[in-house]
Amino acid sequence: MTYDVIVIGGGHAGTEAAAAAARRGARTLLLSFSRATLGAMSCNPAIGGLGKGHLVREVDALDGLIARAADAAAIHYRMLNRSKGSAVQGPRVQADRKRYAAAIQAMLADQRDLEIAEGEAVALIFNPDGSVGGVELSDGTRIESQAVVLATGTFLGGRIFRGEERGEGGRIEERAATKLAFQLRDQGLPMARLKTGTPPRIDGRTIDWARLPQQVSDAEQWTMSSLPQPTRLPQLFCAITRTNDHTHDVIRAALSRSPLFTGAIDAQGPRYCPSIEDKIHRFADRDGHQIFLEPEGLDDPTIYPNGISTSLPTDVQAAMIASIDGLERARITAPGYAVEYDHIDPRALAPTLGVRSAPGLFCAGQINGTTGYEEAAGQGLVAGLNAAAHALGLAPAIFDRATSYLGVMIDDLVLQGVTEPYRMLTARAEYRLRLRADNAETRLTPTGIALGCIGQTRQTHFARRQEARAAIDDALGRQWPPQALRLRGADVALDAGRRSGADWLRFPAVQPAHVLDDVYAFDAAVLAEAVQDAHYAPYLERQDAEVATMRANDMIPIPAQLAFGDIPGLSVEMAERLSAARPTTIGGAARVRGITPAAMTAILLHAKRQAA
């Protein structure tokens, strides 16, 4: 059997990678332990959030799966940071687990050039020149391909911890990819360990909901995907509770039984989502920590208590839950646990997410040291596009920091590496005013069309959207004197001068209805984007010079053979960081942490001397 691309792993990274490769025309095989778990939500039943919602919208703009599946399964919509500017707002949904996985599986089944098979990849096949030539399965079957995407999640060398209990696996009751982990280490790839965790699941029928404050779904009808969606599912509320002094006493008394404190786990976990025992230890002065009680499905009573991830023993988890307001009689249906797993140092990757030392091998998701469904989906899409490019001789898909959160994430990973699971945050994007969640389609769909990864349905939708935007821009270009706006109800100064509708929208007193004759004649979502573009326009104009400088520096190559340790003026630490990151351009070198302007001058001079 021969394919253009083989994708190993059927989680969020793997499913996006397989679909993206197939959309570019590569004959693709998606290999997973089980068809039934394709698209499974391993941890919390939510998609999106601050920074993460931007990634979901960007994957959607490139015709990915995650946003459409989220809408098909959404049982709770909430726009985070609604009181702040649109650049830092985060769309987030609670999803019905079963419906989400079913939506992913249905889209995969409909994807041309994609086949799905069950099996365990135990080894990669390498060609004599060091490039990847396929995979070997546990039954001895050899499958050849031009490219392989590793999207192994927490399964690569995965070990599960719960109190004194130990076991191999990437999820509870699922086996780990142990043999493949050994082979990658034997290949000399830079590998390390990270850990993540999950909280105990609770039977919602045993929670005293009447005592807890509720958080209802947004009344506003917005969606994660820009494509038209079916009728919205019935919406459920979430509830909020907190740990308390009694809870903390229960946890402190059992720290000697926690694998985090006994030394059984020595890998670093996510800083922005620590376990509850870690919170109690690190923030001893806090009298409580907030817990969101999130439903897992319309026909499933299971509740996910977001905020109390733990690897404590089962009996301690039961006592902990019973100490929390509203949960005194709650029944645990599945205890929480921690997972420790292998990852590759992402500095070994090119911006395509290809392993530099093994042509044809690409990595996506937690194997690259990230955490979260959204980060995994974004990497999966990029790795899949580039795996197809490698196999078919197409143009690579490279995203930069000025056009996408995808570019920010990949640039951070391949230049800085990780010391803990990487999580996307809006603060990581220095050009975030350009990278709003609401303009992802405008920013990225034309790129996707050029790459050949946009299906006909979305192309048709985008063409209509562009027509709507052109009509709005034309209407907002009309000049208005202040007297006319005052007659329409806008409280503006008469000496403000004649301005276009777009310029007027930057005045707090001016609304779209003041500068448009019929505001309801336009698509609401497209109009909202245009209004935000008008608000941010002056700031973006000031930022244009910074973006131009970044792109100019990214056009100055650094010779592949440049020895950073030989450059006078670089400290040992700088040389080590640059050697690990292997930036290919002056711009990339400037973004490596700790590299000074003086060091950049030395690198530039040395690079020019070698290139001469």
Side-chain angles (χ1 to χ4, degrees):
M1 293 183 286
T2 302
Y3 295 86
D4 296 317
V5 176
I6 298 173
V7 178
I8 300 174
H12 301 274
T15 52
E16 292 288 358
R23 289 201 304 277
R24 285 199 94 178
R27 185 164 179 253
T28 304
L29 174 68
L30 174 57
L31 185 65
S32 175
F33 281 141
S34 169
R35 286 175 176 268
T37 58
L38 291 175
M41 305 176 81
S42 299
C43 195
N44 65 312
I47 299 290
L50 302 179
K52 292 170 172 283
H54 292 72
L55 286 173
V56 173
R57 290 276 178 84
E58 290 181 357
V59 172
D60 182 63
L62 292 162
D63 218 11
L65 312 178
I66 187 171
R68 283 178 283 164
D71 284 325
I75 53 178
H76 183 97
Y77 283 87
R78 189 165 185 82
M79 185 67 71
L80 307 184
N81 267 359
R82 184 178 288 277
S83 64
K84 298 184 180 180
S86 62
V88 293
Q89 291 178 2
R92 184 178 191 268
V93 304
Q94 294 294 133
D96 182 303
R97 286 186 186 276
K98 295 176 184 177
R99 286 175 169 83
Y100 182 88
I104 291 289
Q105 292 170 21
M107 286 187 279
L108 293 176
D110 288 342
Q111 179 61 56
R112 287 183 54 191
D113 295 318
L114 175 61
E115 295 180 36
I116 300 169
E118 292 185 337
E120 179 184 359
V122 295
L124 299 174
I125 299 170
F126 288 94
N127 297 316
D129 63 357
S131 63
V132 169
V135 302
E136 181 180 335
L137 305 187
S138 58
D139 64 1
T141 301
R142 292 168 66 89
I143 308 175
E144 296 181 354
S145 68
Q146 299 297 312
V148 173
V149 180
L150 295 178
T152 48
T154 58
F155 289 81
L156 191 66
R159 282 186 56 77
I160 291 176
F161 299 82
R162 181 192 289 144
E164 297 83 6
E165 299 175 56
R166 306 285 185 272
E168 292 189 355
R171 277 193 296 254
I172 197 71
E173 297 181 353
E174 294 186 47
R175 63 188 187 274
T178 304
K179 291 183 179 179
L180 184 58
F182 284 141
Q183 188 202 23
L184 294 177
R185 288 182 177 274
D186 289 343
Q187 285 295 123
L189 293 175
M191 307 290 291
R193 302 281 281 175
L194 289 172
K195 80 100 179 172
T196 188
T198 190
R201 307 306 201 273
I202 300 173
D203 185 340
R205 295 167 296 189
T206 62
I207 294 174
D208 189 351
W209 296 103
R211 294 170 51 194
L212 303 176
Q214 295 182 5
Q215 187 180 80
V216 299
S217 183
D218 285 348
E220 179 188 352
Q221 297 284 305
W222 57 268
T223 55
M224 293 298 281
S225 175
S226 64
L227 289 180
Q229 299 300 310
T231 304
R232 178 178 284 200
L233 293 173
Q235 298 294 286
L236 305 181
F237 67 83
C238 298
I240 302 171
T241 186
R242 293 179 66 82
T243 63
N244 52 55
D245 288 339
H246 183 199
T247 311
H248 299 179
D249 289 341
V250 169
I251 295 169
R252 287 192 191 98
L255 289 182
S256 62
R257 299 177 63 196
S258 166
L260 290 176
F261 290 86
T262 62
I265 297 177
D266 59 4
Q268 184 65 42
R271 185 196 325 176
Y272 300 100
C273 188
S275 67
I276 187 61
E277 52 263 46
D278 204 15
K279 289 181 185 178
I280 301 308
H281 178 71
R282 288 165 51 190
F283 308 110
D285 58 325
R286 295 278 297 274
D287 61 1
H289 296 275
Q290 191 164 255
I291 303 169
F292 288 92
L293 301 176
E294 301 171 346
E296 296 205 350
L298 290 177
D299 51 4
D300 184 348
T302 305
I303 299 296
Y304 182 95
N306 196 339
I308 53 171
S309 169
T310 184
S311 58
L312 288 165
T314 301
D315 61 305
V316 178
Q317 294 186 38
M320 174 182 71
I321 290 296
S323 71
I324 297 170
D325 189 32
L327 307 184
E328 292 87 350
R329 293 180 174 80
R331 183 176 68 86
I332 293 176
T333 58
Y337 58 91
V339 185
E340 190 181 69
Y341 55 93
D342 282 346
H343 78 96
I344 189 172
D345 183 339
R347 291 176 295 182
L349 306 176
T352 59
L353 295 183
V355 178
R356 289 195 296 261
S357 63
L361 179 60
F362 296 81
C363 297
Q366 284 173 291
I367 190 174
N368 291 341
T370 62
T371 184
Y373 304 150
E374 304 81 5
E375 292 86 349
Q379 293 169 74
L381 178 130
V382 174
L385 294 177
N386 284 305
H390 177 86
L392 303 178
L394 304 174
I398 306 292
F399 300 91
D400 73 19
R401 302 182 72 90
T403 57
S404 66
Y405 274 82
L406 291 170
V408 171
M409 173 175 62
I410 292 170
D411 196 61
D412 284 348
L413 291 172
V414 302
L415 290 179
Q416 314 297 350
V418 297
T419 55
E420 62 187 42
Y422 178 97
R423 176 180 180 176
M424 179 49 68
L425 304 166
T426 53
R428 296 189 189 276
E430 62 269 45
Y431 305 119
R432 58 186 167 275
L433 295 184
R434 300 172 176 273
L435 310 181
R436 307 192 312 270
D438 68 350
N439 68 3
E441 197 170 14
T442 299
R443 287 186 281 117
L444 293 176
T445 299
T447 299
I449 292 172
L451 290 170
C453 68
I454 305 295
Q456 189 57 54
T457 298
R458 190 174 295 273
Q459 288 194 45
T460 301
H461 164 78
F462 183 69
R464 291 172 180 165
R465 193 179 192 281
Q466 291 299 87
E467 291 175 3
R469 179 60 192 263
I472 292 170
D473 288 343
D474 183 64
L476 290 177
R478 176 182 173 183
Q479 298 289 312
W480 292 86
Q483 296 88 341
L485 292 192
R486 288 185 69 88
L487 290 175
R488 296 169 75 98
D491 185 16
V492 296
L494 290 174
D495 61 353
R498 189 180 184 88
R499 302 168 185 265
S500 70
D503 288 340
W504 277 116
L505 285 173
R506 291 195 284 275
F507 287 68
V510 178
Q511 299 299 316
H514 294 139
V515 294
L516 295 172
D517 289 332
D518 183 6
V519 72
Y520 298 106
F522 303 104
D523 181 280
V526 181
L527 176 59
E529 179 188 326
V531 169
Q532 293 304 315
D533 284 347
H535 287 168
Y536 285 111
Y539 306 100
L540 300 183
E541 289 170 6
R542 296 174 204 162
Q543 207 173 66
D544 284 344
E546 297 175 27
V547 174
T549 299
M550 181 198 76
R551 289 185 171 151
N553 287 336
D554 280 341
M555 295 298 290
I556 304 173
I558 293 177
Q561 70 277 14
L562 182 66
F564 291 103
D566 294 341
I567 300 177
L570 293 189
S571 69
V572 173
E573 183 180 11
M574 288 183 193
E576 287 177 350
R577 288 185 177 182
L578 289 163
S579 297
R582 296 305 314 175
T584 57
T585 68
I586 290 295
R591 293 192 294 275
V592 174
R593 192 175 295 111
I595 305 304
T596 64
M600 285 308 307
T601 300
I603 295 168
L604 180 59
L605 291 173
H606 208 75
K608 286 182 175 179
R609 193 175 299 123
Q610 280 211 359

